[in-house]
């Protein structure tokens, strides 16, 4: 018999999968609690998505990872686990409070020595890395303000090499990507940013991309993933 999921059931399934696979790492979960106590919004990736980021990094042998959007350092921690003790994660965060909480969480998890947090507007940080001819990254995770997705992708491409994996989060937004952004009020800029970024991935000859929908405790969403050619 086919089951039609509700948001509650999807959340319970997500919890079951995380428990069945043992994805609840104590130090990382304490970091999420610390972020909540500090007033950060509960918009970080799920444990399953975090482990996927770690596995992607491990699968491609990533030693240099770029993250755009640190929040409380939860996804950062998974990426840091993925690059290993010899690897480096550079993560961009605009909000000083978020960066401070992330530093504390990374220290708690024993991962701070492999992470550099760059405070300030991500676009400026990326331009600085490009100007300095920074060594290319093996994996780039973009999970920041969606209206600037294309700007981030353009700069990420300049900081990549053939084989670099690009991951772009929150590309479904509860199905809002099907709507006319002009009719979405305060969601207009974010939805337009997602639509434009998907078009960019389609049209850019230097990348090969796909996108997948996700359903879980935070509802209906998805992510795009691309390989630099």
């Amino acid at each position: 018999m086919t089951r039609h999921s509700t948001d509650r059931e999807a959340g319970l399934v997500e919890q079951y999968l995380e428990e069945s696979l043992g994805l609840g790492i104590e130090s990382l979960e304490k970091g999420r609690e610390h972020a909540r106590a500090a007033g950060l919004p509960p918009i970080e990736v799920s444990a399953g998505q975090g482990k996927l980021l770690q596995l992607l990094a491990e699968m491609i042998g990533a030693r240099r990872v770029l993250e755009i959007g640190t929040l409380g350092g939860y996804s950062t921690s998974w990426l840091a686990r993925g690059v290993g003790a010899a690897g480096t994660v550079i993560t961009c965060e605009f909000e000083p409070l978020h960066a401070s909480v992330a530093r504390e969480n990374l220290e708690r998890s024993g991962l701070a020595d492999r992470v550099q947090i760059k405070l300030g507007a991500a676009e400026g940080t990326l331009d600085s890395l490009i100007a300095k001819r920074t060594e290319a990254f093996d994996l780039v995770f973009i999970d920041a303000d969606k209206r600037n997705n294309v700007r981030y992708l353009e700069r990420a491409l300049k900081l990549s090499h053939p084989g670099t994996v690009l991951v772009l989060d929150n590309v479904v937004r509860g199905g809002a990507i099907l709507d006319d952004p002009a009719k979405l009020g305060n969601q207009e800029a974010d939805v337009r940013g997602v639509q434009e970024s998907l078009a960019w991935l389609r049209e850019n000859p230097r990348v090969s991309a796909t996108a997948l929908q996700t359903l879980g405790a935070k509802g209906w969403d998805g992510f795009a993933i691309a390989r630099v050619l």
Side-chain angles (χ1 to χ4, degrees), residues 60 62-67 88-91 126 129 134-140 155-156 158-166 228:
I60 64 173
R63 287 295 173 263
R64 286 180 55 78
V65 168
L66 174 64
E67 178 183 48
T88 299
V89 177
I90 294 180
T91 182
L126 299 176
L129 292 173
T134 301
E135 182 182 351
F137 294 92
D138 306 306
L139 187 152
V140 181
R155 287 158 175 78
K158 292 179 180 180
L159 291 164
S160 299
H161 57 73
T164 294
V165 172
L166 310 175
V228 176

Side-chain angles (χ1 to χ4, degrees), residues 45 49 141-143 146 167-175 177 194 198 210-216 218-225:
V45 301
Q49 292 166 335
F141 178 51
I142 302 173
D143 187 14
K146 312 309 172 188
V167 182
L168 183 65
D169 203 13
N170 306 127
V171 301
V172 173
R173 310 191 68 78
I177 54 166
V194 170
L198 293 174
T210 189
L212 298 172
Q213 300 180 76
T214 59
L215 184 64
K218 293 190 293 182
W220 179 23
D221 213 328
F223 62 92
I225 185 167

Side-chain angles (χ1 to χ4, degrees), residues 39-136:
L40 274 61
I43 56 174
E44 74 281 347
V45 301
S46 67
Q49 292 166 335
K51 184 60 179 286
L52 175 61
L53 292 172
Q54 177 183 327
L55 289 172
L56 285 172
E58 291 171 343
M59 287 172 183
I60 64 173
R63 287 295 173 263
R64 286 180 55 78
V65 168
L66 174 64
E67 178 183 48
I68 303 171
T70 314
L71 195 62
Y74 186 70
S75 55
T76 319
S77 298
W78 285 105
L79 290 166
R81 289 167 60 87
V83 299
T88 299
V89 177
I90 294 180
T91 182
C92 306
E93 178 52 53
F94 181 74
E95 296 289 346
L97 174 61
H98 297 182
S100 176
V101 170
R103 287 191 187 95
E104 294 166 356
N105 286 337
L106 290 162
E107 289 284 355
R108 177 185 293 105
S109 300
L111 299 167
D113 60 340
R114 61 187 80 168
V115 177
Q116 300 174 27
I117 299 176
K118 302 289 189 180
L119 183 62
E123 195 170 341
T125 297
L126 299 176
D127 284 341
S128 177
L129 292 173
I130 293 167
K132 293 176 181 176
R133 298 183 181 276
T134 301
E135 182 182 351

